Structures are given as C-alpha cells and as structure tokens.
C-alpha cells in the first residue's frame, strides 16, 4: 500500500503532462493536505527534506523555524505550496522595468495557514516569513529540479539581484 507522500509524487508525475498542470497539482494538494499533515512528523528542527527529485519535478518537506525569514527569490519554475502546520507569509515582488541593477518592488502579499495551498507561476518572485513562534511545515512542489535550476535572490537592503545559492538557502534553515 502506497503512503500519502508516494501517492502525491505519483499524481504530480502524471499531472506534469496536463496543460493545466499547476492548477491540477494545486487542487490535488488542497484535497490531500489533511492526510499529509497526519503523515508528517512534528519537528523541533528547521530544514529542507527532499521527498522526490527529478529533472521535471521536486517535492520537498520544508520546515521553517519560528520567526524565520527568507529574502526575495525566484524559482524559475512553477511552485505549489501547502502548509500543513503553522503559517507562511508571502510577499510578492516584480522587477522594476528598465532597472539595470535588477531591482524589484513589492506588489502584494498573501498568508497561508495550516490547511491552505498557494500556486505560483514560473515568473513569481517572493519572500517568505514564518510569523509565529512555532515551527511551520509545508509541502513544496516544483516543476523542475529545485537543487539544480538557476535562479536569483535579492538582497534585503537595496533589493539588488544576485545569484541564488542552494547551499546558502539550506544553511539558513539549520539552527
């Protein structure tokens, strides 16, 4: 008998061939999030656990430390995120037209709490904060290999674009 995580991975692999892949994955994750929450162990450590990685799909268990923040970054692929415990506050950004330094400006925000899902198209730039004094756990699904795709981050002070480092990102989750 397959676990809920194995079922999620299989479903996402099949959904990749559908024209409305991102909304299909979003709906499925929303429907299965309570079962996933039951299957995930409560943790007292932040971190990123790779549940599945291929060239066309990555499924991660991301656990945010209390009050942890991640500066603006992009994924250069679509993403679907479902929070199973806690809360993620997402701030959305867009590139300033004509800016030679790659700077960005804020264009919106959305909080997602336990049981909620958000889908982000490929061009999304966002920053993330766990605003609570508890760990936040979320399933992150990406339409590419999260660990090898080239992408950017923006510094918190001048909002200037720079290269994104997976190693730096992973270290920020460790306490």
């Amino acid at each position: 008998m397959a676990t809920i995580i194995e079922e999620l991975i299989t479903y996402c692999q099949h959904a990749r061939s559908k024209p409305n892949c991102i909304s299909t994955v979003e709906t499925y994750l929303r429907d299965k999030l309570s079962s996933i929450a039951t299957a995930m162990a409560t943790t007292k450590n932040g971190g990123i656990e790779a549940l599945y990685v291929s060239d066309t799909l990555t499924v991660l268990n991301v656990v945010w430390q209390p009050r942890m923040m991640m500066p603006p970054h992009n994924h250069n692929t679509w993403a679907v995120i479902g929070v199973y415990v806690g809360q993620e506050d997402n701030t959305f950004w867009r590139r300033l037209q004509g800016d030679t330094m790659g700077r960005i400006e804020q264009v919106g925000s959305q909080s997602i709490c336990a049981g909620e899902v958000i889908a982000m198209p490929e061009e999304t730039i966002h920053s993330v904060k766990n605003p609570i004094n508890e760990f936040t756990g979320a399933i992150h699904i990406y339409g590419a290999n999260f660990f090898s795709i080239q992408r950017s981050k923006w510094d918190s002070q001048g909002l200037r674009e720079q290269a994104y480092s997976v190693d730096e990102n992973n270290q920020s989750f460790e306490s």
Side-chain angles (χ1 to χ4, degrees):
M1 183 166 87
T3 68
I4 187 67
I5 299 302
E6 290 168 336
E7 290 174 17
L8 171 67
I9 292 164
T10 300
Y11 186 87
C12 291
Q13 289 170 322
H14 292 296
R16 292 279 304 137
S17 63
K18 297 183 179 185
N20 56 350
C21 174
I22 190 170
S23 63
T24 301
V25 170
E26 178 185 17
T27 300
Y28 184 83
L29 184 57
R30 185 174 286 111
D31 290 346
K32 299 296 182 179
L33 201 52
S34 64
S35 297
I36 290 169
T38 301
M40 303 310 290
T42 306
T43 184
K44 296 297 181 204
N45 296 309
I48 298 174
E49 176 187 9
L51 302 173
Y52 179 83
V53 180
S54 75
D55 289 342
T56 61
L57 181 69
T58 301
V59 180
L60 304 175
N61 178 31
V62 177
V63 178
W64 299 88
Q65 296 178 39
R67 301 286 178 188
M68 182 179 176
M69 295 188 311
M70 184 67 55
H73 62 279
N74 62 14
H75 302 131
N76 283 337
T77 186
W78 59 262
V80 176
I81 298 166
V83 174
Y84 60 84
V85 64
Q87 178 178 332
E88 276 190 19
D89 287 352
N90 288 271
T91 301
F92 298 101
W93 307 82
R94 72 172 164 222
R95 293 176 184 275
L96 288 168
Q97 288 189 338
D99 185 273
T100 59
M101 295 172 63
R103 288 181 294 200
I104 55 175
E105 64 182 348
Q106 185 177 339
V107 294
S109 62
Q110 182 177 355
S111 293
I112 53 173
C113 298
E116 297 178 332
V117 177
I118 187 172
M120 297 180 211
E122 183 174 332
E123 64 276 2
T124 300
I125 299 169
H126 74 131
S127 52
V128 186
K129 178 181 180 180
N130 173 7
I132 62 175
N133 290 324
E134 306 282 331
F135 285 87
T136 290
I139 296 295
H140 289 224
I141 303 168
Y142 301 96
N145 183 329
F146 175 84
F147 300 101
S148 67
I149 194 167
Q150 188 175 37
R151 51 192 192 268
S152 298
K153 69 176 184 176
W154 283 261
D155 68 81
S156 298
Q157 302 300 316
L159 297 175
R160 289 178 299 271
E161 188 172 12
Q162 47 194 249
Y164 177 94
S165 165
V166 171
D167 290 336
E168 282 180 26
N169 180 62
N170 290 348
Q171 288 174 3
S172 67
F173 278 85
E174 298 171 6
S175 49

